[in-house]
Amino acid sequence: MPKIEREIKQPRIIQEVVQVRYQKIFEPTKIGKMQLKNRIKFAATGTGFCSVDGKVSDSEIAWLAERAKGGAGLVTASGTAPHPTGVWSRVQLPNWDDSHIPELRKLAEVIKEHGAKACLQIVHTGRYASTKEGPVGPSEIPPTLRRFQKVRALNLEEIETLVEAHGEAVRRAKEAGFDAAEIGAMAGYLIASFLSPWTNKRSDEYGGELESRARFLLECIKSAKEKAGADYPLLVRMCGDERIEGGNTPEDMRRIAKLLEEAGVDAISITVGWHESRVPSLTMDIPHGHWLYLAEGMKRLLNIPVCMAFRLNSAEIAEQAIKDGKLDFWEMSRPLIADPGLPNKLAQGREEDIAPCIACMQGCYARVFHDQPVRCLINTRAGKEWDKSYEIKPSPVRKKVLVVGGGPGGLEAARVAAMRGHDVTLYEKGA
């Protein structure tokens, strides 16, 4: 067989083998009436460069394009604010007026252009908001994060306005061309703070027992269904466990999830902990797949798909979890920051080429919390996808390159130089 034929056919054979190995991950499926090519979801991720004076930045467009090109079936754009009172910072993209639809459409188009379905997250940041008027919440319970001040409790008229605002934001997502919308009810943001007994001390119809604390979210869902249509796919991203003393337990969150299913939600995306939780949920000391018991608890109760990220970096663990009925969608944020091409590499039998997230939290979580653009210690191109100087292209002149030291920096320098076509020799002092 000629050499060129072997080079063409071998990758196809490898891909078939890997597809069988990860049959469930790459299985076409649906959320509501939305057809998806696989069970991989890129989670909504704060980037710190989404908006420039209310306009979508070139950085955000290039960021989402890179994750869509990488092979995920569903790509979720970063949380947009449904109301001016809910803005996290000046870089959060607004979604409270129809004039914002053309900007939102840019994100939907670039995701779909590269072969993924597009989802838009909508999140009012509530007690964490950064506005001139100050943050708002269900009660006057200040956050423990030091950058925030006193919280003002919302009155009934304002709650009604915000219910309407969430429904309108979902409608705009649909009109902008997104295939689905996701309401953010996680991490201690506004809806999560209504759900939690730790932050909701109200004595009216929006406080007290669990069903009353869930009223605000259920009314937002009803509003969304009325304005965008009952068939428009709607997800809710919520905590599986708040990890807050005095907050909702996993059992409480399962009861809330059941209420959401009954209200017509098409899928649940599970997170772990609040920004104010004093115990870790994302860091490298948490074993891979540790939180799957939370997804499994949801799956036992629900008939709609369950998505989960949070320390689920391993394809083997995700595949087995889906096979075992613990999970429906392998959701990822940081693994697809470290390597946006992870899905395609799995499908092509190139697992050894995947750059793994090390859960250092330095380039992503820590920077975004200080309103700085996202970066990654593993992927130097993360957040710079728009910058052509960060593209790895063949060098016009092949050189002999000597790299001294086989630490992370040396290995990366050697790898990139080899990818550019240079003859690389790596020297390491150790064994």
Side-chain angles (χ1 to χ4, degrees):
M1 186 182 293
K3 183 180 180 183
I4 188 67
E5 264 189 85
R6 286 200 304 273
E7 290 177 350
I8 291 172
K9 288 186 175 181
Q10 190 177 9
R12 291 178 183 170
I13 295 168
I14 290 174
Q15 184 167 349
E16 287 171 8
V17 171
V18 175
Q19 290 276 11
V20 170
R21 184 179 179 188
Y22 299 115
Q23 184 176 6
K24 299 303 292 185
I25 288 175
F26 288 102
E27 179 180 63
T29 189
K30 287 183 176 182
I31 291 179
K33 295 192 175 181
M34 175 175 57
Q35 182 68 49
L36 297 163
K37 65 183 179 182
N38 59 41
R39 295 174 180 268
I40 299 175
K41 179 181 186 284
F42 176 58
T45 304
T47 59
F49 47 65
C50 188
S51 171
V52 179
D53 297 326
K55 304 293 184 181
V56 172
S57 67
D58 291 340
S59 302
E60 188 73 13
I61 292 171
W63 165 269
L64 290 173
E66 191 85 351
R67 274 78 209 164
K69 283 189 289 186
L74 182 61
V75 172
T76 315
S78 181
T80 57
H83 193 270
T85 58
V87 178
W88 167 270
S89 73
R90 60 182 178 80
V91 297
Q92 187 178 3
L93 196 63
N95 183 6
W96 57 76
D97 189 272
D98 283 2
S99 64
H100 301 141
I101 292 175
E103 293 300 307
L104 298 174
R105 186 174 290 119
K106 294 177 184 178
L107 301 181
E109 287 176 348
V110 75
I111 292 170
K112 296 197 286 188
E113 177 186 341
H114 293 289
K117 290 296 175 72
C119 180
L120 182 68
Q121 188 182 80
I122 294 147
V123 58
H124 187 298
T125 59
R127 295 164 60 250
Y128 303 152
S130 180
T131 65
K132 291 180 180 178
E133 296 77 14
V136 296
S139 306
E140 295 180 356
I141 307 296
T144 56
L145 302 180
R146 64 183 180 184
R147 61 173 277 190
F148 300 107
Q149 306 298 318
K150 185 179 178 181
V151 173
R152 181 178 63 81
L154 292 162
N155 61 42
L156 291 177
E157 184 180 352
E158 289 171 319
I159 291 174
E160 184 178 343
T161 297
L162 290 175
V163 167
E164 177 86 0
H166 277 82
E168 288 292 308
V170 172
R171 174 188 62 80
R172 291 186 197 100
K174 182 179 181 180
E175 293 188 16
F178 283 91
D179 301 292
E182 177 179 275
I183 292 177
M186 69 297 179
Y189 298 132
L190 182 65
I191 293 176
S193 65
F194 265 89
L195 293 173
S196 180
W198 185 59
T199 43
N200 187 343
K201 307 298 183 183
R202 302 180 73 95
S203 57
D204 59 15
E205 61 265 42
Y206 292 96
E209 297 300 317
L210 182 143
E211 288 75 12
S212 296
R213 300 198 309 272
R215 184 186 300 274
F216 177 54
L217 173 53
L218 293 172
E219 289 182 354
C220 289
I221 292 166
K222 181 181 178 183
S223 177
K225 289 288 181 180
E226 289 173 350
K227 296 176 183 298
D231 291 339
Y232 184 62
L234 184 65
L235 298 81
V236 170
R237 188 156 166 82
M238 60 179 286
C239 290
D241 185 353
E242 289 181 1
R243 311 279 283 167
I244 292 278
E245 188 175 350
N248 282 314
T249 65
E251 181 183 359
D252 294 329
M253 299 312 299
R254 289 193 292 271
R255 288 173 57 198
I256 291 169
K258 190 62 180 176
L259 293 174
L260 303 185
E261 180 183 43
E262 292 168 356
V265 168
D266 296 290
I268 297 291
S269 168
I270 300 174
T271 66
V272 184
W274 279 23
H275 295 319
E276 295 168 79
S277 301
R278 294 185 177 274
V279 287
S281 58
L282 285 167
T283 48
M284 62 181 71
D285 54 314
I286 307 295
H288 294 297
H290 176 75
W291 302 114
L292 277 170
Y293 71 91
L294 295 172
E296 184 178 12
M298 292 283 190
K299 280 290 292 174
R300 288 175 181 170
L301 192 65
L302 304 177
N303 296 306
I304 55 175
V306 173
C307 320
M308 189 175 197
F310 279 66
R311 297 302 287 145
L312 195 55
N313 297 17
S314 163
E316 290 86 353
I317 295 175
E319 173 74 11
Q320 193 61 50
I322 297 171
K323 281 183 178 178
D324 293 343
K326 298 178 181 178
L327 194 64
D328 294 293
F329 280 83
W330 182 19
E331 190 166 12
M332 288 177 278
S333 172
R334 287 159 190 86
L336 294 183
I337 296 176
D339 194 337
L342 185 156
N344 284 340
K345 289 177 181 178
L346 275 180
Q348 295 162 4
R350 298 169 52 214
E351 287 181 80
E352 72 279 2
D353 291 338
I354 294 172
C357 168
I358 60 173
C360 65
M361 313 301 290
Q362 295 181 46
C364 49
Y365 205 82
R367 286 179 61 87
V368 171
F369 257 82
H370 289 88
D371 293 335
Q372 296 177 324
V374 69
R375 295 289 184 264
C376 179
L377 269 65
I378 296 297
N379 177 11
T380 55
R381 196 162 176 257
K384 301 176 184 177
E385 292 84 1
W386 57 272
D387 189 341
K388 299 301 182 184
S389 67
Y390 278 84
E391 290 184 8
I392 300 174
K393 298 178 179 179
S395 173
V397 180
R398 179 170 176 161
K399 301 177 181 180
K400 289 185 177 181
V401 176
L402 172 65
V403 178
V404 180
L411 289 173
E412 178 69 2
R415 183 184 75 89
V416 172
M419 289 175 70
R420 297 199 66 209
H422 298 304
D423 182 7
V424 181
T425 302
L426 175 66
Y427 277 86
E428 165 57 32
K429 181 180 178 181

